[in-house]
Amino acid sequence: MTTVDVALPPFGGVTDGEEACAAAHASVAAASAAGAELICLPQWSFAPYVAATRDRAGLELAQRAPAPAWRDALAAAGPAWLSASAYESEGEGVFYLTARLGRDGGEEVAYRQRRLAAAHGRYEQLFCSPGHGDLAVADAPWGPTGLLVGLDAADPQAWAALARRGARLVVAGVAEDEEGWDRLRALARGMAAAHGVAVALANRAGEEHGIAFAGGACAVAAGGEELAVGADGRVAIPVPAVARAAPAAAAPSEDERHEEQQA
């Protein structure tokens, strides 16, 4: 069992792109200076939650992949690992929300959000295409760490896929209201107990374009017990050791799983 010092700083309540990016970078730098080993930011980490309205002007906030905002945040994190999601464009009229986990000058993994919200105040399908690649697991010092973002964190099959790939800690950035946040925390506790993984969730805070996000941070031990998170968003999370099992057949990739479901 290894313990990782995690920072889940509050973020949100901003409607200006430059202000949002500057606030995110400042919170990352502060958490790193305070000694955090892993920093997790909520969904849409470097921009307003543009999907709160149907104003297509929000598309202008997308950055060419890999987003400079991510690179700058990675540098601000210093020796700490960073989990965040950037609004990116790739090609003419192609937009994604890309989640990344890595450290400056070291390993980095990424995947694009697969499930997109489509409800009042959650118009993600107007601003992003769904990702189709496999989910990502990084070989972090405290153990294999899986990555989820947005509505993907509400998909039990995504959690199962990360567990099959050996994840011992799952981190996710989300943007939920009070009801959605309560529901997601309950799901995280269940997934932690079912798959023997620890969990760190960062939720967007504040109000943007009339949409209120609940804010808050959630940390769960591998047995399903929710851990106390400090007022500053800091928490020490015990990460279970990697199981030493006999060699088994390779687990299906996410694309193979989706093909089987469609068959």
Side-chain angles (χ1 to χ4, degrees):
M1 184 81 69
T2 303
T3 299
V4 56
D5 185 343
V6 181
L8 302 159
F11 174 78
V14 289
T15 56
D16 177 79
E18 291 186 3
E19 179 184 347
C21 197
H25 290 161
S27 67
V28 168
S32 178
E37 298 174 274
L38 172 62
I39 304 165
C40 304
L41 296 182
Q43 185 191 23
W44 298 74
S45 306
F46 310 111
Y49 186 77
V50 299
T53 74
R54 287 176 283 195
D55 184 357
R56 301 283 282 183
L59 294 171
E60 298 176 5
L61 293 177
Q63 298 182 342
R64 283 284 184 177
W70 160 257
R71 293 297 176 202
D72 291 343
L74 207 58
W81 284 64
L82 176 65
S83 169
S85 54
Y87 187 36
E88 296 183 338
S89 63
E90 188 169 297
E92 188 65 30
V94 181
F95 302 88
Y96 297 99
L97 190 69
T98 304
R100 288 188 170 88
L101 171 65
R103 60 188 176 89
D104 195 24
E107 180 180 357
E108 180 181 319
V109 299
Y111 92 100
R112 288 163 172 165
Q113 184 177 332
R114 303 170 68 102
R115 301 179 71 205
L116 301 172
H120 174 68
R122 303 297 297 266
Y123 304 111
E124 292 179 358
Q125 292 184 355
L126 293 179
F127 294 91
C128 298
S129 296
H132 298 288
D134 287 347
L135 299 174
V137 178
D139 186 16
W142 48 83
T145 301
L147 181 62
L148 293 172
V149 65
L151 204 56
D152 292 343
D155 179 10
Q157 294 188 41
W159 291 81
L162 290 176
R164 285 198 305 269
R165 293 189 58 187
R168 311 310 293 154
L169 171 66
V170 175
V171 298
V174 299
E176 296 289 346
D177 61 15
E178 289 285 355
E179 181 179 354
W181 181 232
D182 288 343
R183 187 166 53 243
L184 185 58
R185 288 170 62 186
L187 176 68
R189 293 192 295 270
M191 293 296 97
H195 299 295
V197 297
V199 180
L201 303 177
N203 189 30
R204 199 174 186 95
E207 182 175 318
E208 300 175 36
H209 299 290
I211 305 301
F213 300 104
C218 175
V220 184
E225 175 191 1
E226 190 161 346
L227 305 172
V229 179
D232 58 354
R234 294 288 290 276
V235 59
I237 301 180
V239 179
V242 177
R244 301 298 181 185
S253 71
E254 287 297 290
D255 288 333
E256 289 170 340
R257 178 172 64 79
H258 281 288
E259 289 172 2
E260 291 173 358
Q261 291 175 340
Q262 294 171 0

